[in-house]
Amino acid sequence: MTAPRTAAWGALAAALLLAGCASVSPDGLRSQVQTLADGRSAGVAAPALPSADPAARARADAAIVQWLAGPLAADDAVRIALLRNPGLQARLAALGVADAQRVQALTLPNPTLTLGRFRSGHEREIERTLGLGLIDLVTLPWRTRWQGQQMEQATLDAAQDVVRLAFDTRRAWLRAVAAEQVAATQERMHEAADAGAELARRMARVGNWSRLQQAREQALWADSAAQLARARLDAATEREQLSRLMGLWGPAAHYTLPDRLPNLPVEPEASEGIEARALRERLDVRAARLELDRVADTEGFAGVAPWAGGIGLAYTRNTTTEQDTGHADVKRGWEVELAVPLFDWGGAARSQARGRTLQSAAQLQDVALRARSEARTAWLGYRTAYDLARQQRDAVVPLRRFISEETTLRYNGMLASVWQMLAEARASSQAVANALQAQRDFWLAEADLQRALAGTSGGASSAVASTALPGAAAGRAANPESQGH
Amino acid sequence: MKRRHFFSGAATAVAAASVGRAALAALPEIPQHGSADTAVPPAPPTGRPFRPVVTLNGWSLPWRMNAGVKEFHLVAEPVVREFAPGFVAHLWGYNGQSPGPTIEVVEGDRVRIFVTNRLPEHTSVHWHGQRLPNGMDGVSGLNQPAIPAGKTFVYEFTARRPGTFMYHPHADEMTQMAMGLMGLWITHPRLDARGRHPLIATADRDYAFLLNAFAVEAGTRTPRVNEMTDFNIWAWNSRVFPGISPLVARRGERVRVRVGNLTMTNHPIHIHGHEFEVTGTDGGAVPPGARWPEVTTDIAVGQMRQIEFVADEPGDWAVHCHKSHHTMGAMGHDVPTMIGVDHRGLVAKIQKIVPDYMVMGERGMADMGAMEMPLPENTLPMMTGTGPYGPLEMGGMFSVLKVREHLAAGDWRDPGDYVQPPGTQAWEWQGAAADLPPAPAAPAASTAPQAGAATVRKPGPGGTGHAH
């Protein structure tokens, strides 16, 4: 009797130990998310995520104030967004909830103690049964593993949202900076049109020009005024978008942006090994692979579970007391409860599990295919954007500038009119604006490439509901479904 | 002005020719001229004597006598011509220059001209105004086959009548003349025993030039050959003021100026300070009874005029085409009039966009004469040249007749600026305005013009180009 008793208590202790191990992560898995996002956060090394710790939050707030004091750098914008974006905070909180739910799911059901007092004619029976559903205990190691995998996957999903937010913020920063610069060039163009129109008005006033000639300059002025209004709206909208991603409002949103985009790199990145790198590093590929592992892992168990589901163990101690004699008789014993696999042999469950495995395998294949394709597309976009930006900067702008200067020389020699000179100055400013946009497009393409190679697909996270940016990467359009991995 | 050795460039020219050396062995050598300066020709070393003309910014072609025939060798070829310091053009010319060298012969001379074609296309030479056999008239297709590129043709005739003539291509004529292919021909009269001619006086100074026009866009070097009317370079002997040599004379000398027009419009040539007579045309000498005094004579397209006068007024006298646009350099014909347009408040605004901007034309265009602003390459300011009293504000068809008291007979050098005797120059009124004699006003008009509407203008022609 002693040996089984010891064994039973030992098993119970082991189960309790196991169950106790499944504890809630103290920071809601944020450090895991951070580790995964590191190196994938739009070029920002080890960005911090919002912490539950008040001291850390205070430090972060102080840093944000400092970053916002000067012209806001792209990296700092990303850092602020990761710390302040409410959507991301909600997402991380949800991850903590999921972790607690996981721990909850791994907690063993409490044993049942059944007490009974029965009376018959001459005896009184007191029944004590301590019962324990064994199935949860027996499957605990597997379930612990699967729950772990599931959490790992949830962590990966959250990390992808971090990555997306980082890249979206970087893109928003690029667009906001470029839009401000473009608005500044439009300002210059409008000034040129304004001077031309005013001079034309004075020409007409003294009779040197007809109203028709004046009207032509006036029409140019009206066009450029409309263009300037659009450019200003564009700059405000892009800036607003950036502020929203950074979770800023009120006085904090009155930051300044740098007056220029980063220079183009001397050499563009080569295309060697980009597909391999995407398969190796992308989080969505990793998540799909993990999902397949988990589903395959559960497959074997699925067929057994239906008839193995009812395993129960109970220890009973019944005391029967003779009422007359007061003689008490104690009855002890073990009870094992098993399901009889009469109807459900688990065939359906097995098919279901097999189907799930196939589904996961196909999904992994799909994600890998998309990762390869996105890597190629992103690189092509990156390379073309580089060439276009170089051409604008090295050929078009100098040409326009030269034309403008030569026209000024012709104005000097009374070979060209002041309006021709102003028109060329406008065209020159337009070329500068086009070059700025080409430079911006290059950096946007660069961000898309980095995300496609190391991060994830471009789909916007459902949790970090960032409004889709106009003209976003082709990768996003190709991947409307964001959480389908 | 220096005397030039005409034969210096001959050897290199032959070596560079596409025409074979052997083929040219029997030909007269090809004199070349390498400068746009006026080269005063020497007295004729062979043949009948004559007093050579001085071709402004040009030269006269040397010849050789071959069994009593005067042999010349003209080579039509691409040349680089300096129109004025700072402005050169890629033209076609003869023997290194555009226009080609002046051919000078004497009435009755038998003349043989070898014409070698080093142009990329065929050519021919028409001897404008000459009496000659029909097959020597030079109209390709009509009188002769064109001279193919690389070939040499021979023209031979007797210079039958004295006068001032021209030569120019008559094959792809518009293009080749637009490129500057042309030259002067002078047939000096045969003189009697006393050294006289009944209709042609002996001149102490005999100047000659051709009027020619080009369309050279600012910043370019080659004329637009397809231009018909809107030319911008108005030249004498492919030269523009201030690049044109002055006409120099000693006081009392008889001066003859021969002018031929190979542009596409007429040119009223005007000489200050003197009256002159037109003593001849390309048709010959004008009978004395048919001459009348003039200060301006219009030279129509394709015409020549021979002007004579006695230079008896010392000073620096302007000589120019009286079409005022022809005394301008390259200018934008579409540039609107800016006179009277208030620029206040706009200059800084425009300078923000075009930092080098300066206001021009607000008060008129005189600023252009003095302003030194960067221009497109190979472009002269549209009016330039400076005299002892400031900018001349001239360009194109403009030169100066310099009459001086003391000047050696053979001295053709620029004597410098004329210094007026005291009290003979316009001066600034230094007295009070009230002391000025009253300026009578025009009688009051029936309808007084409104303020600001003083300049009522009739609508002008709609075209952009001005009629030259």
Side-chain angles (χ1 to χ4, degrees), chain B residues 239-372:
Chain B
R239 196 83 180 156
V240 294
F241 184 76
I244 302 175
S245 293
L247 293 80
V248 178
R250 189 176 60 187
R251 185 181 189 188
E253 279 183 333
R254 183 167 194 84
V255 178
R256 179 183 293 136
V257 183
R258 307 165 192 254
V259 189
N261 180 1
L262 284 177
T263 72
M264 295 203 214
T265 188
N266 61 313
H267 297 279
I269 297 297
H270 175 52
I271 298 178
H272 289 209
H274 297 79
E275 309 84 40
F276 57 76
E277 285 180 346
V278 175
T279 58
T281 72
D282 23 2
V286 177
R291 302 174 187 176
W292 65 86
E294 295 247 47
V295 294
T296 302
T297 188
D298 194 29
I299 302 169
V301 180
Q303 284 189 340
M304 303 218 61
R305 290 291 177 269
Q306 194 173 292
I307 294 165
E308 280 176 41
F309 60 96
V310 175
D312 50 6
E313 293 289 347
D316 284 349
W317 305 104
V319 184
H320 59 94
C321 173
H322 216 287
K323 283 188 171 178
S324 52
H325 278 104
H326 295 180
T327 51
M328 287 290 225
M331 56 183 288
H333 297 168
D334 296 333
V335 174
T337 305
M338 305 300 289
I339 294 172
V341 177
D342 182 3
H343 280 69
R344 271 174 301 176
L346 285 177
V347 179
K349 198 167 196 169
I350 296 175
Q351 276 171 345
K352 260 174 83 180
I353 309 140
V354 185
D356 297 335
Y357 167 77
M358 279 179 73
V359 176
M360 281 190 296
E362 190 183 20
R363 294 165 299 174
M365 291 200 196
D367 293 341
M368 281 301 292
M371 228 179 240
E372 281 194 11

Side-chain angles (χ1 to χ4, degrees), chain A residues 188 191-196 198-199 202-203 205-209 213 404-406 408-422 425-426 429, chain B residues 218-219 330-332 335-346 349-350 352-354 356-361 364-365 368 373-376 379 382 457:
Chain A
R188 275 209 302 285
E191 274 171 9
D194 197 41
E198 176 56 25
L199 202 53
R202 297 184 191 182
M203 286 284 280
R205 195 172 59 197
V206 296
N208 293 11
W209 257 6
Q213 285 165 304
S404 187
E405 285 164 6
E406 283 289 313
T408 305
L409 294 183
R410 275 153 187 78
Y411 168 78
N412 288 349
M414 281 204 177
L415 299 153
S417 74
V418 65
W419 291 273
Q420 283 170 295
M421 186 181 72
L422 288 172
R426 279 203 310 274
S429 291
Chain B
M331 56 183 288
V335 174
T337 305
M338 305 300 289
I339 294 172
V341 177
D342 182 3
H343 280 69
R344 271 174 301 176
L346 285 177
K349 198 167 196 169
I350 296 175
K352 260 174 83 180
I353 309 140
V354 185
D356 297 335
Y357 167 77
M358 279 179 73
V359 176
M360 281 190 296
M365 291 200 196
M368 281 301 292
M373 294 184 48
L375 295 182
T379 303
M382 70 181 184
R457 286 167 200 167

Side-chain angles (χ1 to χ4, degrees), chain A residues 74 170 173-174 177 181 260-265 439 442-443:
Chain A
R170 182 167 173 80
W173 181 89
L174 289 166
V177 171
Q181 286 180 266
R260 50 188 313 221
L261 291 168
N263 288 330
L264 294 179
Q439 194 180 354
F442 165 76
W443 285 115

Side-chain angles (χ1 to χ4, degrees), chain A residues 277-344:
Chain A
R277 191 175 155 209
L279 289 180
R280 194 172 60 242
E281 295 189 20
R282 270 173 72 133
L283 296 179
D284 54 349
V285 176
R286 200 184 280 193
R289 195 173 290 138
L290 195 69
E291 166 76 2
L292 176 61
D293 287 350
R294 189 180 64 80
V295 171
D297 201 15
T298 55
E299 189 184 340
F301 182 76
V304 188
W307 54 269
I311 302 174
L313 183 69
Y315 172 73
T316 306
R317 185 172 181 274
N318 286 348
T319 311
T320 310
T321 310
E322 284 282 341
Q323 278 184 349
D324 299 342
T325 59
H327 171 75
D329 191 17
V330 177
K331 188 170 74 181
R332 302 184 189 85
W334 290 94
E335 221 176 315
V336 173
E337 185 190 320
L338 283 175
V340 181
L342 194 59
F343 310 111
D344 182 4

